């Protein structure tokens, strides 16, 4: 594998400005191609180019389907490349196709196969109806050449070139004569209530000719296509009227699939930056910088508030309190008066400790995954690597989860250590697995390629029960062997009465306010993440995402510390759960935004897609709730320990 381009590393690390010169996304090692094997080094130069096909998906349906489901041309010697865990979980189903080329051998109008549909036969009618349904819902092909997506590039308003890593099956002109988006590429697509099938593609493969001149073969640097609808005649040409399929079709139909391919040399595009034309055409960079600046303003505001409290108010309060006699100190009010109750163990300490153990596991997993993604190891070219890395890290991080949960539970004075370790190992993962399994049942029933095979489910359970659970037990063992965390002040036997609280210092308003600022830091980045998941857009801006992650951690910590201080000043010492829920409530705003995204951005059709959307959103919200809640808790825990450790209390 080539060494990473410095420009790409600088961009992802956000240590360079947006004018950075290029990207390098490591995937497979470079492959050299020659017209004849004898031209290159034996064993290192290929003449045949294999085109792979992936699942088909749609922005109007959560259900992806395999390539074979739409009755396209199949490869006689069909085989599947090995898929990693992440690809299986994301429903990627890559297989070989009958589209095969020889390097630098241009082909014009090559017939692939012909499909016949006799609508008097039930099976043929079902296959044709499914194909028409795919065009109606705008399902997209995803083809791969040399580990690179075959893109459909077109010009939009303002002469901006957009390259999509997919192209539609076809399009529909409805009864009102209104065409679907893909139909606007050809003025001949104008008949009402008619489907137009894209059964021909003009493929252009660009190769870097500089390497070839060195005698080591050429490397492919771009693969684009233009979809066309052609009704083939008896001749060998690919000229003719569009391939029309009327909505009410009751006769026999023949569909011929064909392609043309041409090779084009290029000395300017290097293999290391061959993804540029795909990623640069996505007009998101300016919005990302706006998002970062918006988040930084929020962080600076919160940092100023915390600095003012810590350096001025708290410093003066502590100095004055420590100089007073004990009798005079009793007349003081505010956070200093609850020192005898502030470390009183919380109610439902078992559940809180379990959440914190799981939150530590999720936080560490997220941090390491994003760091690796920033360094380019989990790029879009390395398909499925992001999910695989996250799952493997979660499994291996069972030890810190068990340790944190056990240590905090012991600090709370808990004694049911068996229940604690079992809940840590099974509660949150169990809820997520049950939700995931129910969503998978729906995918099985619908025949979607996203349905995880039974063998993979068994493998996931084996990772959970065979590795994660034992590691959680090991962490809990060491956690319970340690003594509980000693509070800096002694807890009184009789609880202090909490005075009447104002509206803003009551628990519910404080929790509602606590999640607003952290959510304000992430909502723009969240839009791109949801687009990547549900609108099938390629996500590659991990540098921005990592910086937003750091900003989120800081914002959750500072917002929770501020509210914790205000509540303690109001002599309300119930801060344990409140600190967790204050920042954790950011997940509630995430759910509201997901609902807004569903109604404003998506056009999902069918009950199954709706159930799947909200089922998977529930998993995401639960994970985010535990993640942000853990950040807020430990920030407040450190803050409370810090301020009470400097008080002079008899």
């Amino acid at each position: 594998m080539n060494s990473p381009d410095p420009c790409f590393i600088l961009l992802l690390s956000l240590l360079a400005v947006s004018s950075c010169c290029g990207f390098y996304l490591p995937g497979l090692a470079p492959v050299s191609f020659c017209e004849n094997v004898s031209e290159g080094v034996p064993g290192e130069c290929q003449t045949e180019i294999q085109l792979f096909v992936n699942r088909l998906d749609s922005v109007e349906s959560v259900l992806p389907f395999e390539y074979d489901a739409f009755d396209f041309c199949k490869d006689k010697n069909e085989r599947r490349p090995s898929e990693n865990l992440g690809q299986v979980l994301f429903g990627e189903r890559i297989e070989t196709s009958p589209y095969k080329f020889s390097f630098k051998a241009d082909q014009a109008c090559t017939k692939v196969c012909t499909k016949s549909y006799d609508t008097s036969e039930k099976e043929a009618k079902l296959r044709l109806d499914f194909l028409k349904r795919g065009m109606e819902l705008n399902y997209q092909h995803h083809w791969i050449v040399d580990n690179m997506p075959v893109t459909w590039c077109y010009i939009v308003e303002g002469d901006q070139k957009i390259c999509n890593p997919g192209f539609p099956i076809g399009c529909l002109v409805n009864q009102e004569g209104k065409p679907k988006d893909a139909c606007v590429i050809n003025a001949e697509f104008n008949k009402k209530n008619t489907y137009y099938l894209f059964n021909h593609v003009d493929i252009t493969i660009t190769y870097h000719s500089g390497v070839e001149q060195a005698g080591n073969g050429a490397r492919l640097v771009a693969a684009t296509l233009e979809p066309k609808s052609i009704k083939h005649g008896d001749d060998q040409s690919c000229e003719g009227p569009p391939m029309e399929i009327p909505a009410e079709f009751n006769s026999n139909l023949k569909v011929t699939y064909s392609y043309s391919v041409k090779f084009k040399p290029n000395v300017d595009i290097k293999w290391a930056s061959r993804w540029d034309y795909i990623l640069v055409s996505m007009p998101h960079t300016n919005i990302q910088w706006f998002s970062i600046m918006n988040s930084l303003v929020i962080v600076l505001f919160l940092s100023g508030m915390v600095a003012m409290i810590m350096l001025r108010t708290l410093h003066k309060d502590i100095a004055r309190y420590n100089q007073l006699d004990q009798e005079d100190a009793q007349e003081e009010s505010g956070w200093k008066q609850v020192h005898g109750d502030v470390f009183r163990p919380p109610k439902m300490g078992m559940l809180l400790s379990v959440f914190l153990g799981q939150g530590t596991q999720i936080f560490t997993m997220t941090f390491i995954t994003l760091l690796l993604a920033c360094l380019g190891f989990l790029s879009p070219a390395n398909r499925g690597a992001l999910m695989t890395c996250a799952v493997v890290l979660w499994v291996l991080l069972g030890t810190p989860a068990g340790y944190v949960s056990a240590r905090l539970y012991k600090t709370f004075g808990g004694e049911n250590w068996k229940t604690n370790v079992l809940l840590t190992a099974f509660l949150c993962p169990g809820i997520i697995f049950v939700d995931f399994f129910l969503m998978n049942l729906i995918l099985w029933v619908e025949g979607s390629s996203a349905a995880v095979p039974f063998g993979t489910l068994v493998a996931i359970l084996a990772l959970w029960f065979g590795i994660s659970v034992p590691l959680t037990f090991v962490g809990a063992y060491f956690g319970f062997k340690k003594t509980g965390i000693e509070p800096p002040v002694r807890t009184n036997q009789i609880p202090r009465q909490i005075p009447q609280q104002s509206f803003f210092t009551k628990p519910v308003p404080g929790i509602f306010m606590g999640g607003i600022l952290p959510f304000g830091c992430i909502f723009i980045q969240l839009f791109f993440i949801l687009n990547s998941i549900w609108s099938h857009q390629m996500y590659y801006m991990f540098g921005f995402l990592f910086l937003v992650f750091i900003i989120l951690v800081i914002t959750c910590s500072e917002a929770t510390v501020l509210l914790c201080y205000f509540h303690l000043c109001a002599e309300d010492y119930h801060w344990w759960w409140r600190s967790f829920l204050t920042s954790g409530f950011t997940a509630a705003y995430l759910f509201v935004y997901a609902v807004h995204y569903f109604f404003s951005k998506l056009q999902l059709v069918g009950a199954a897609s709706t159930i799947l959307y909200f089922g998977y959103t529930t998993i995401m919200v639960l994970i985010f709730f535990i993640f942000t809640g853990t950040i807020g808790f430990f920030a407040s825990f450190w803050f409370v320990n810090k301020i009470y450790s400097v008080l002079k209390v008899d």
Side-chain angles (χ1 to χ4, degrees):
M1 183 181 294
N2 283 12
S3 59
D5 185 345
C7 291
F8 177 70
I9 296 298
L10 290 174
L11 179 72
L12 290 183
S13 306
L14 289 180
L15 300 176
V17 294
S18 59
S19 58
C20 194
C21 63
F23 302 84
Y24 169 61
L25 300 177
L28 297 176
V31 177
S32 297
F33 294 90
C34 308
E35 286 186 87
N36 298 302
V37 177
S38 59
E39 295 179 1
V41 180
E44 296 184 5
C45 196
Q46 300 182 13
T47 58
E48 296 295 323
I49 300 175
Q50 173 70 65
L51 188 147
F52 292 89
V53 291
N54 203 345
R55 67 175 189 178
L56 286 86
D57 51 38
S58 168
V59 295
E60 299 182 30
S61 175
V62 176
L63 302 169
F65 290 97
E66 291 194 42
Y67 183 80
D68 296 341
F70 291 94
D71 196 34
F72 297 127
C73 300
K74 293 184 62 175
D75 184 13
K76 295 180 181 178
N77 301 314
E78 180 182 339
R79 56 184 174 83
R80 294 181 182 273
S82 58
E83 296 170 338
N84 57 42
L85 179 61
Q87 287 178 293
V88 176
L89 292 178
F90 271 123
E92 293 199 20
R93 299 293 183 266
I94 300 175
E95 59 188 68
T96 56
S97 76
Y99 298 86
K100 296 179 175 65
F101 326 118
S102 295
F103 181 66
K104 293 179 70 175
D106 294 353
Q107 301 178 46
C109 194
T110 302
K111 304 290 178 63
V112 182
C113 74
T114 299
K115 294 288 183 177
S116 299
Y117 300 93
D118 184 356
T119 53
S120 62
E121 297 180 3
K122 183 179 179 181
E123 183 181 350
K125 190 176 186 304
L126 288 175
R127 287 188 286 117
L128 183 59
D129 288 343
F130 193 77
L131 183 63
K132 291 194 291 187
R133 182 64 173 168
M135 289 185 277
E136 185 179 340
L137 294 178
N138 195 28
Y139 270 84
Q140 305 274 318
H141 286 279
H142 294 282
W143 291 2
I144 303 167
V145 168
D146 191 31
N147 196 42
M148 186 171 52
V150 182
T151 56
W152 176 34
C153 297
Y154 52 91
I155 305 297
V156 296
E157 295 180 4
D159 293 331
Q160 183 177 7
K161 185 179 180 182
I162 299 295
C163 291
N164 283 335
F167 67 97
I169 295 176
C171 62
L172 167 67
V173 178
N174 60 21
Q175 294 179 351
E176 291 77 24
K178 185 178 180 181
K180 283 271 190 177
D181 294 341
C183 279
V184 301
I185 67 173
N186 193 331
E188 295 184 21
F189 299 166
N190 51 24
K191 288 187 180 180
K192 296 182 180 180
N193 212 20
T194 301
Y195 297 89
Y196 293 91
L197 176 66
F198 293 140
N199 59 331
H200 176 86
V201 288
D202 288 332
I203 303 172
T204 301
I205 297 179
T206 306
Y207 61 93
H208 182 63
S209 57
V211 180
E212 187 183 28
Q213 294 172 0
N216 297 323
R219 292 176 182 170
L220 307 188
V221 293
T224 59
L225 61 74
E226 181 183 355
K228 293 182 178 179
S229 180
I230 300 174
K231 186 174 183 179
H232 295 83
D234 295 331
D235 56 3
Q236 296 299 316
S237 68
C238 286
E239 301 291 336
M243 184 66 226
E244 300 174 354
I245 306 176
E248 301 298 330
F249 190 79
N250 297 315
S251 60
N252 295 338
L253 176 70
K254 285 189 176 181
V255 177
T256 299
Y257 292 91
S258 62
Y259 70 92
S260 299
V261 61
K262 63 179 180 179
F263 291 83
K264 186 172 67 173
N266 189 300
V267 296
D268 298 323
I269 304 175
K270 297 218 174 12
W271 188 89
S273 56
R274 63 179 184 163
W275 285 68
D276 284 10
Y277 80 100
I278 304 172
L279 303 182
V280 173
S281 66
M282 298 181 183
H284 297 157
T285 306
N286 291 335
I287 300 175
Q288 292 285 353
W289 282 115
F290 170 77
S291 167
I292 297 298
M293 295 306 298
N294 171 67
S295 302
L296 286 175
V297 168
I298 295 175
V299 168
L300 290 174
F301 168 74
L302 284 175
S303 299
M305 293 284 289
V306 171
M308 183 178 65
I309 289 174
M310 296 291 289
L311 299 179
R312 296 187 61 184
T313 309
L314 271 175
H315 181 73
K316 290 181 180 179
D317 279 355
I318 293 170
R320 185 174 66 252
Y321 184 87
N322 289 338
Q323 289 174 359
L324 294 175
D325 295 334
Q326 196 62 29
E327 293 182 1
D328 296 332
Q330 293 294 333
E331 298 177 2
E332 283 282 318
S333 61
W335 64 271
K336 302 173 289 297
Q337 289 304 99
V338 294
H339 62 79
D341 299 273
V342 74
F343 290 101
R344 192 175 302 280
K347 297 179 180 178
M348 295 190 294
M350 171 84 77
L351 183 61
L352 180 59
S353 63
V354 168
F355 280 166
L356 294 171
Q358 284 293 326
T360 303
Q361 188 175 11
I362 294 170
F363 174 85
T364 311
M365 174 199 74
T366 307
F367 177 80
I368 297 175
T369 302
L370 288 180
L371 184 62
L372 292 175
C374 279
L375 298 176
F377 296 107
L378 309 178
S379 69
N382 200 356
R383 291 178 177 83
L386 188 70
M387 177 61 76
T388 303
C389 177
V391 172
V392 171
L393 283 173
W394 180 84
V395 169
L396 297 178
L397 289 169
T399 301
Y403 179 84
V404 170
S405 177
R407 187 85 189 276
L408 287 173
Y409 181 62
K410 194 169 185 179
T411 301
F412 298 156
E415 297 178 353
N416 297 326
W417 63 271
K418 293 181 181 179
T419 306
N420 173 263
V421 68
L422 288 174
L423 287 176
T424 304
F426 294 109
L427 179 62
C428 297
I431 294 173
I432 293 172
F433 183 81
V434 169
D435 189 327
F436 176 78
F437 182 76
L438 292 176
M439 297 304 104
N440 205 54
L441 284 179
I442 296 175
L443 293 170
W444 274 339
V445 171
E446 296 291 335
S448 172
S449 67
V452 176
F454 179 76
T456 305
L457 285 178
V458 172
I460 293 173
L461 288 174
L463 289 173
W464 179 16
F465 286 94
I467 300 177
S468 179
V469 171
L471 288 177
T472 304
F473 287 179
V474 170
Y477 170 77
F478 287 105
F480 279 113
K481 282 193 69 176
K482 285 273 190 177
T483 58
I485 301 173
E486 291 294 329
V489 291
R490 182 169 47 85
T491 301
N492 296 334
Q493 293 184 352
I494 302 175
R496 181 187 179 89
Q497 185 176 359
I498 300 174
Q500 183 69 30
Q501 300 292 303
S502 65
F503 174 79
F504 292 104
T505 56
K506 289 181 179 179
V508 175
I511 291 171
F512 269 85
M513 289 186 295
I516 294 176
L517 290 177
F519 178 76
C521 293
I522 65 167
F523 80 96
I524 295 179
Q525 196 69 227
L526 185 61
F527 172 78
F528 294 108
I529 295 174
L530 292 179
N531 271 352
S532 175
I533 297 173
W534 303 114
S535 295
H536 314 294
Q537 296 184 10
M538 196 172 296
Y539 191 93
Y540 67 97
M541 296 166 287
F542 294 108
F544 287 108
L545 185 60
F546 185 73
L547 185 56
V548 169
F549 168 80
I550 299 299
I551 291 174
L552 175 65
V553 171
I554 297 172
T555 309
C556 283
S557 303
E558 293 181 341
T560 310
V561 165
L562 275 175
L563 290 171
C564 179
Y565 173 73
F566 293 147
H567 291 132
L568 291 176
C569 286
E571 299 183 20
D572 185 352
Y573 50 83
H574 295 307
W575 64 275
W576 299 96
W577 269 107
R578 188 176 296 171
S579 63
F580 184 88
L581 296 175
T582 296
S583 56
F585 201 76
T586 309
Y589 294 105
L590 169 62
F591 180 76
V592 172
Y593 185 83
V595 173
H596 166 73
Y597 181 86
F598 175 81
F599 287 106
S600 64
K601 177 70 176 177
L602 299 179
Q603 300 91 36
L604 295 182
V605 178
S609 292
T610 303
I611 295 172
L612 287 167
Y613 176 84
F614 285 103
Y616 287 125
T617 298
T618 301
I619 294 176
M620 184 168 60
V621 169
L622 175 61
I623 292 174
F624 197 72
F625 168 72
I626 297 173
F627 166 72
T628 51
T630 301
I631 295 170
F633 175 87
F634 281 112
S636 295
F637 187 75
W638 171 85
F639 172 74
V640 173
N641 273 273
K642 192 71 175 176
I643 62 174
Y644 284 100
S645 63
V646 294
L647 283 183
K648 294 180 181 178
V649 180
D650 292 338

